Structures are given as C-alpha cells and as structure tokens.
Amino acid sequence: MDAVQLCEIGMLVAFGISWPFNILKSWRSRTAKGKSVIFEYLVVFGYLIGLLGKYISWRRTGVLAWSVWFYIADILMVLTDFCSITATPPWTAGPRSWPKTKNRR
C-alpha cells in the first residue's frame, strides 16, 4: 500500500466517520427537514465513480485496492441516511408536528 492509497483511505474514513453522526441526528430528531435528496444522490454518484476507477484498476492489474471496502462502507451509510430521508416526510418531527387541518363540522 502506497502513500496515495493511504491518503485515499484517510479521506474515505473521514467522510465515513461523519455519516453515522448525521444518521443519528436524523434518528433522534425524527425529522428529515433540511435534508437534500439531490445531495445524497450526488454523494453516492461520486462514490460510485471512485469505485469504477478501482474496478478499472483491478481489471488492468489484478490487484484489488483496500480502499474499495471503505467506498462500500461509505455508500452503505449514505444509503442508510437516504432511507431515513425517504421514510420520513420533511415536515414531521413526530405526530404533534404534522400540519394542522381545520375541523370541518
């Protein structure tokens, strides 16, 4: 493993450490308010491009880089956060915060 791979793994670990905090914050607040689905798509797209580069390198050299496993772990965390966004409407923070409806009696 060379310095380039160590730097790449360091970057992926730094990003990977931040996702659990983000997921936990969403879980505790029980809201998806302020989250961006487009941002999540772009992050996953970026990770997939990185994985594609590792796949191309693996096909050429026959050596699978260690950083592949960090890419996969980060993608799984982003997808977990994405599921929390799509499962929770952005206006909710529990049943008490739902939009009020007028009584029609």
Side-chain angles (χ1 to χ4, degrees), residues 19 22 36-44 78 81-82 85:
W19 285 110
N22 194 18
S36 170
V37 174
I38 294 171
F39 173 76
E40 303 277 337
Y41 281 138
L42 290 173
V43 170
V44 170
V78 174
D81 192 44
F82 177 77
I85 291 173

Side-chain angles (χ1 to χ4, degrees), residues 17-105:
I17 289 171
S18 65
W19 285 110
F21 291 113
N22 194 18
I23 294 166
L24 186 61
K25 181 182 173 190
S26 296
W27 178 264
R28 286 183 177 161
S29 68
R30 300 209 185 264
T31 184
K33 191 173 186 177
K35 298 270 188 160
S36 170
V37 174
I38 294 171
F39 173 76
E40 303 277 337
Y41 281 138
L42 290 173
V43 170
V44 170
F45 179 72
Y47 284 141
L48 290 175
I49 294 296
L51 270 178
L52 178 63
K54 296 303 169 187
Y55 174 77
I56 293 168
S57 176
W58 172 68
R59 294 290 293 178
R60 288 183 180 167
T61 65
V63 177
L64 186 63
W66 282 97
S67 58
V68 166
W69 305 111
F70 293 93
Y71 276 106
I72 292 170
D74 283 357
I75 288 171
L76 290 175
M77 285 187 276
V78 174
L79 291 176
T80 300
D81 192 44
F82 177 77
C83 288
S84 75
I85 291 173
T86 58
T88 308
W91 63 82
T92 64
R96 292 185 181 149
S97 69
W98 290 355
K100 299 194 188 270
T101 58
K102 294 180 181 179
N103 290 336
R104 299 185 184 207
R105 292 185 189 194

